[in-house]
Every structure is written in structure tokens, then in C-alpha cells.
Amino acid sequence: MHIAAEFVGLVVAVLVVTAVARRLDWSEPLCLISAGVVASFVPGVPDYHLEPEVVLVGLLPPLLYSAAVQTSLVDFRKLRGPIASLSVALVVFTTFGVGLVTWAVVPGLPLAAGIALGAVVAPPDAVAASAVARRVGMPRKLVRLLEGESLFNDAAALVALRTAIAAIAGSVTLWQVGLDFVVALLGGALAGAIVGLGAAMLRSRLDDLVTDTALSFAVPFVAYLLAEAAHGSGVLAVVISGIILGHKSPAISSGSARIASQHNWQTIQFLLENMVFLLIGLQLRWILEEVADSGVSPALVVGICAAVLGATMATRIAWLAGIGLGKRIVRRLRPGKKAHVWPWSYSAVIAWAGMRGVVTLAAAFILPADTPHRAVLLLAAFVVVAGTLVLQGMTLPRLIRRLKLPPPDPAEDALQEAAVLNDMTLVALDRLEKVRTPEDPEEVIRRLRDRLRDRSDSAWEQLGRNSALPETPSDTYRRLRLELLQAEREEFLRARDGGTADDIVLRRLLARLDIEESMLDRDDEEVADLDRELRTPMATAGSCKHLGHPWKEIEPSSPDKCDACVAEGLSWVHLRMCLKCGMVACCDSSPGNHATKHFRETRHPVMRSFEPNETWRWCYVDQQLG
């Protein structure tokens, strides 16, 4: 009963603190840690000891899996070099850098113990960093890099910690260090691939939603335990299995299964992530009690914690600065050698986005009980977690705004969405003509065609939002249909309360209403964002001289058609107009692709939409939307 009460107390505290933090627009991790610290000193609050086994086996696998299934394998492949640099090389660099500083400032501490603490604080927790990044609009490439780093750096850090603990006991050699790392890497990768591919095969044969969801819950724990049994990295196994299943999900699972799994995992991720930050704060009181019993003077404890925190932050900054400097030297000495260098502002943000989290504190508790100055090392790990969240987490938004990093362009997103949806519509219409039979009612075929075209047109309409048009036709349809659904739901409630239909029948009707409501694609917040940001999509025009050019009004070559399509007997989907000569041509989703062909023939750089109420423009030279 006590365990159940404590668990319920944690959940309620998480819900209350996160709700208040969101209402006040404060950092949720910092608020949760602060609430935990305060609660730890309140009389009557039970002692929550964060056991490493609970975190490493109970909390870490589902947290990593929930992030891994949302990771794009395509984007990961593109960023595999930078991710490897941060998640492996930087972890090793931080481990030894912080280890040497700790060894130097803690009297009588063995070097192996200092390196163990370095491994403990080495892996950043990008949950807080990516949350800040999304809120303030960090470029998506940097967000994906931070998330990819956080998926793999835990594995490298835990392998380094395991090796350092063995070194404390004096039972490890350099050859064994290398062998242990290789075994952990290969064992974890193999276990993750086996579990991921096996689970994908099973899920492709499952029709029951409950069984499919239950299987997804079991995958991270099976992958972790299998890898650990083979002396591999359980963390790496969980990540690989999650990436495999996330990549294969669109091909092996039904839409309802993916929606159910996504919602369930979002709930689990929310509770676990926030519960962990609350638990971190609840550890402070008993850690301080152990430090007081250790006999180390308070002044020395403060100095040790400050030195470890400073070394942790400095090693990341030094590594990013060194990488950038090295690439610039290579590019200057060998002009023909490819050495992609990101802007210094990107490196600065990555260097500052080094907030630590749950893995750091959980790993600290793995240190053996007989480790010299263990209590001080635990406190140092806590200070690193809290200090990086405060110093870096609170200033990262300001740094991103100060450096003026380009945020994701909603106009470009809308254009890509409309283009892909249009291609999907064309393929679906083509498939419809192939699979229809003479017996199929023409009315059904017409309704299918209208549904496909309406969905595609709805996406294109988002690009045409302006102050002269309060809402697009699709928005009008959505608003009115929601009103009708509300009326239908009220009648449903009257039928339920009056007992005029069986409960099974009523539940089936309610499910149909819910499905139709979920198919009304855009929620109110998304529509408001689009209305605000797509009115005149000029977010990228400042960096393109063609989009910024003061184009003069020019007479279009045709008022409402693509002359090239007419000449070739083709049909078009949407029209574009060249701002240089007024040529009206069809879009890339049309069979003729005459707008692109016009650019290739004339090199006129900018076309604008020639659809009603659409104001966006596209530069073919710089591949930018304006």
C-alpha cells in the first residue's frame, strides 16, 4: 500500500507541477527538480531512493525506445558522422577530461574513480535541450543532431563507466578495455537488430490492436535484457530496435495501430520523463546527509562540485571548437578536400546544449559502495545535472534568439506537405482507374475522386492565406462540420440517457463520430499558426537576392491556363507565373512540369503561385520559398 501511495503521489505531483510550469511558460525540468528538492526537506515526505537498477532497467529502456521510434532513419544516416562525433568521441573526451580534473581536486582519489565520475557526467540529456529548441525555433537539423546524440551517448558512457569501475578494483588492462567496448558495441547492435526485425515480422502479422500495443511495450525490455545477457550494451540494443520499428512501421502496421501506439507511448514518455526529473530533486536531502557524514569540509565540497561542473561544460565547448577549427584548417590546407563546416553559431548552440539528466544521476549510484569519497562524487553528479539545467537550460533560448538562427519555415513545410499530398493524390487516382470494375457504381467513384482532390486542395489552400480571406474553403468545411458533429453528439447523448438503443450500438456510433472528428485534419492551434505565419511567407526572402528583388507587375501570358499543356493535350494541377516574363505554366505535380522546364530554358529564377488568394513565391536558383 505504501508503494502504491508513493507512486500515486509522484504522478499527481508531476501533473500539478507541469501544468503550472506550462501555464507560466517556465522550464518543466527545472520546476520538477526544484519541487523535488523542496519536497525532500518537508517532514513526512517519504525517502525516494533512485536505485540504479530501477532507472537502467525500468525507466531508461522505455524512454529511449519512445524517442527512437520517432527518429528518422533517413535523417540519422545523413547526420551519422556528427552524431558519432558527439555520442562516442565527445563522451570519451569528456570522460577523461572531467576524470583528470576530479582526480586533481579530490585529495586521495584514485584516477580510475575520477574517470568513473567523468563517464557518469559525460552523456547530455537532450530531452531538455530539444524541448527548448522546439519552443524557440532552433533549426531542425540541430534538433535532430541533439536527439541522435542523446540516443547513442548513453551506451558509450555506460560502457566507459563499467570499464572504469573494473579499473577501480585493479582488474582491467588496456586490451580488456578495447575488447569490452567492441563486445558491448557488437552485442548491443546485434541484439537490437534481432529484436527489432523479429518484432517487425510479428507486428506485420497482428490484426489485434491490443496485442500489437502490448508487443510494442515489451520490445525495449526484451532488447535490453537480451543484449545485457550477451554482455552487450542494452541501451544500444533498445535504440536500434526502436529505430528499426519506427522505420518499418508505415509498411507493417495499420493506421489505427500506429495511432494507438503513438498516443500510448506519448503518455508513457510524458510520465516517465517528468517523474524522473522530480525524483532527481528528491535525492538531494539524503545525498547531503551522506556528504556531511563523510568528513570533507564544506568549502572543499563546494570547490569540487564547481570544478566538476566547470570541467563538464568546458570539455563540450572545447570539443566543438576544436572540431570546427580542425575542419577549417583542413579546408584551407587542402582546398580540394571536402570538409563541411557548419556556421560558428550552430556549433555555439550545440556546445551550450549540454544539459545533463537522469542517466547521469542513475549512473552515479552504480559507483561501488567502497569507492573513495562516493558521497562527494554523488553530490558532484547532482550539481552537474542541476547546474547545467539552470545555467545552460535557462540561457539557451536567449542564445538561440541572440544568434538569430533561422527557425523552421512553416511556409516551406506547407509547400512540401502540399506537394507530397498532391503526388499521393495523383498516384491514388491512377490506382483507382486501374482497380475499378464496370460494376462499381459511378457515384462511389465520384465520391472517392472528390475526397482525394479535396484533401490535396486543402493543403494547397494553406499557402494562400491572407488578410483578405478570413478562412479557406477547407477551414469553412471543418468549422461547419464540427458544429454538425456537436449536434449529432448531443442527440447521441439524449439517445443514451433515454435508453432508446443498446449500449453496443451506441458505442459503435460514438466510435464513428470520433473517427470522423479525428479526420478533420488541422486542430485550432495549427490553423492559428498557419494563419499567422503563412499570410505572406517571406521568412527566407532575406537570404535570397532573387526573392528580395523588387519585381515589377507584369501581364501574365494567360489568365487561367497553361498554354503548353493545352498545346500538348495535357491537363494541369496548379498554375505558376514567372515574375520575369509573365509566363504562366503548370506546377511540378502536373504531368508537363512546364514551370520547371521554363526555368531550365530561360534561367528566370522566380515563379509565384498563380492560384487564387495564394501569394508565395519560389526561387529555383537558391531553392527557397518566399
Side-chain angles (χ1 to χ4, degrees):
M1 181 64 72
H2 290 295
I3 296 177
E6 291 177 4
F7 179 77
V8 171
L10 286 174
V11 173
V12 171
V14 163
L15 295 176
V16 171
V17 173
T18 53
V20 172
R22 290 179 179 180
R23 186 68 177 266
L24 300 175
D25 196 26
W26 291 350
S27 170
E28 293 174 29
L30 282 177
C31 289
L32 287 163
I33 290 180
S34 301
V37 170
V38 172
S40 69
F41 290 95
V42 175
V45 174
D47 289 333
Y48 290 91
H49 284 269
L50 197 59
E51 299 294 336
E53 194 76 10
V54 172
V55 175
L56 295 178
V57 181
L59 299 180
L60 195 56
L63 278 174
L64 289 173
Y65 179 83
S66 62
V69 292
Q70 301 176 51
T71 299
S72 167
L73 182 60
V74 175
D75 289 334
F76 173 76
R77 286 172 177 166
K78 293 178 181 177
L79 295 171
R80 61 184 180 274
I83 288 175
S85 172
L86 293 177
S87 61
V88 179
L90 176 55
V91 164
V92 174
F93 181 73
T94 303
T95 296
F96 283 94
V98 175
L100 289 171
V101 171
T102 306
W103 173 67
V105 298
V106 181
L109 186 73
L111 178 59
I115 292 176
L117 181 63
V120 164
V121 301
D125 178 18
V127 171
S130 59
V132 171
R134 294 182 190 280
R135 189 168 68 247
V136 301
M138 184 189 290
R140 287 204 183 105
K141 182 179 288 188
L142 299 191
V143 176
R144 290 171 183 142
L145 177 57
L146 291 173
E147 292 174 342
E149 176 194 7
S150 71
L151 287 176
F152 288 93
N153 60 12
D154 296 336
L158 292 175
V159 171
L161 175 60
R162 187 165 58 188
T163 303
I165 291 175
I168 293 175
S171 59
V172 68
T173 64
L174 184 61
W175 182 84
Q176 288 174 314
V177 170
L179 180 62
D180 187 43
F181 184 82
V182 171
V183 169
L185 180 67
L186 296 180
L190 182 60
I194 291 173
V195 174
L197 294 174
M201 193 178 302
L202 282 175
R203 294 185 72 178
S204 66
R205 290 166 170 76
L206 291 177
D207 297 323
D208 181 58
L209 274 179
V210 175
T211 306
D212 181 84
T213 303
L215 175 62
S216 73
F217 289 160
V219 166
F221 299 104
V222 172
Y224 186 91
L225 294 175
L226 178 62
E228 291 295 323
H231 303 289
S233 170
V235 171
L236 184 61
V238 171
V239 171
I240 290 179
S241 63
I243 291 178
I244 290 174
L245 280 171
H247 184 69
K248 290 184 171 292
S249 177
I252 63 175
S253 300
S254 64
S256 56
R258 286 194 299 275
I259 292 173
S261 179
Q262 180 182 8
H263 289 167
N264 288 325
W265 275 108
Q266 283 177 343
T267 303
I268 292 172
Q269 186 177 16
F270 168 79
L271 286 175
L272 291 184
E273 282 179 356
N274 291 300
M275 196 179 297
V276 160
F277 285 115
L278 184 63
L279 285 169
I280 288 174
L282 288 167
Q283 310 304 301
L284 181 61
R285 181 176 60 82
W286 68 266
I287 291 176
L288 289 176
E289 291 174 353
E290 289 194 6
V291 171
D293 295 337
S294 67
V296 182
S297 67
L300 182 58
V301 170
V302 171
I304 292 171
C305 292
V308 173
L309 174 60
T312 303
M313 297 170 62
T315 49
R316 186 176 181 87
I317 295 172
W319 179 265
L320 268 298
I323 291 292
L325 179 61
K327 287 187 175 182
R328 285 180 170 82
I329 292 174
V330 169
R331 190 170 61 176
R332 178 166 296 183
L333 296 179
R334 301 175 63 183
K337 177 75 173 178
K338 285 187 176 181
H340 178 67
V341 181
W342 281 7
W344 71 268
S345 56
Y346 281 32
S347 297
V349 170
I350 297 172
W352 199 244
M355 292 84 85
R356 268 57 178 179
V358 59
V359 175
T360 290
L361 207 58
F365 296 140
I366 299 177
L367 293 173
D370 58 351
T371 302
H373 301 293
R374 182 177 185 271
V376 176
L377 299 183
L378 286 176
L379 181 60
F382 181 92
V383 169
V384 167
V385 173
T388 53
L389 284 172
V390 171
L391 295 177
Q392 296 178 318
M394 294 184 68
T395 57
L396 183 60
R398 188 180 303 173
L399 176 64
I400 294 172
R401 296 189 188 100
R402 191 72 175 267
L403 294 176
K404 298 180 180 179
L405 297 187
D409 189 344
E412 188 172 355
D413 289 348
L415 178 61
Q416 291 179 6
E417 177 185 344
V420 175
L421 259 179
N422 194 78
D423 292 342
M424 292 162 57
T425 300
L426 293 177
V427 171
L429 289 172
D430 183 63
R431 177 70 62 86
L432 178 62
E433 295 303 320
K434 292 178 180 178
V435 300
R436 63 175 297 189
T437 64
E439 292 78 20
D440 294 330
E442 189 60 36
E443 175 63 19
V444 174
I445 302 300
R446 184 186 64 79
R447 286 166 58 191
L448 286 170
R449 289 196 188 108
D450 289 344
R451 168 60 184 155
L452 289 168
R453 286 173 178 149
D454 287 346
R455 187 186 62 179
S456 178
D457 290 343
S458 173
W460 286 110
E461 288 165 4
Q462 303 306 319
L463 291 164
R465 291 179 173 273
N466 57 43
S467 55
L469 186 67
E471 60 182 4
T472 68
S474 297
D475 293 337
T476 304
Y477 172 86
R478 180 181 180 277
R479 173 173 55 81
L480 295 177
R481 186 63 188 117
L482 285 174
E483 288 290 337
L484 301 182
L485 283 172
Q486 180 61 30
E488 293 180 66
R489 188 171 284 106
E490 291 170 358
E491 179 58 30
F492 163 83
L493 292 174
R494 281 191 288 269
R496 184 200 64 184
D497 297 340
T500 58
D502 187 80
D503 182 66
I504 297 297
V505 175
L506 291 171
R507 289 181 182 274
R508 195 157 53 229
L509 288 172
L510 183 61
R512 293 178 65 176
L513 290 178
D514 293 341
I515 290 172
E516 184 170 359
E517 184 176 355
S518 69
M519 291 174 65
L520 297 173
D521 299 318
R522 302 182 186 278
D523 58 29
D524 293 333
E525 183 178 352
E526 186 179 1
V527 170
D529 289 341
L530 285 169
D531 188 38
R532 181 176 66 255
E533 298 181 51
L534 296 183
R535 214 167 268 167
T536 305
M538 294 291 291
T540 58
S543 59
C544 173
K545 64 180 181 180
H546 306 103
L547 292 174
H549 183 77
W551 298 100
K552 297 179 181 179
E553 290 293 329
I554 192 168
E555 188 71 20
S557 63
S558 173
D560 56 3
K561 64 180 182 294
C562 173
D563 292 330
C565 283
V566 173
E568 298 175 17
L570 301 174
S571 59
W572 60 88
V573 179
H574 299 282
L575 296 176
R576 311 286 180 253
M577 188 187 83
C578 176
L579 295 185
K580 179 76 172 178
C581 66
M583 172 71 176
V584 175
C586 61
C587 66
D588 285 352
S589 298
S590 306
N593 298 325
H594 290 121
T596 299
K597 290 178 180 177
H598 175 73
F599 163 70
R600 291 172 180 168
E601 292 170 358
T602 64
R603 308 308 293 178
H604 295 170
V606 180
M607 300 284 284
R608 77 167 179 86
S609 174
F610 201 56
E611 296 295 318
N613 301 311
E614 292 188 1
T615 60
W616 59 268
R617 300 173 296 168
W618 176 257
C619 175
Y620 283 96
V621 176
D622 296 320
Q623 296 290 294
Q624 287 193 11
L625 185 71

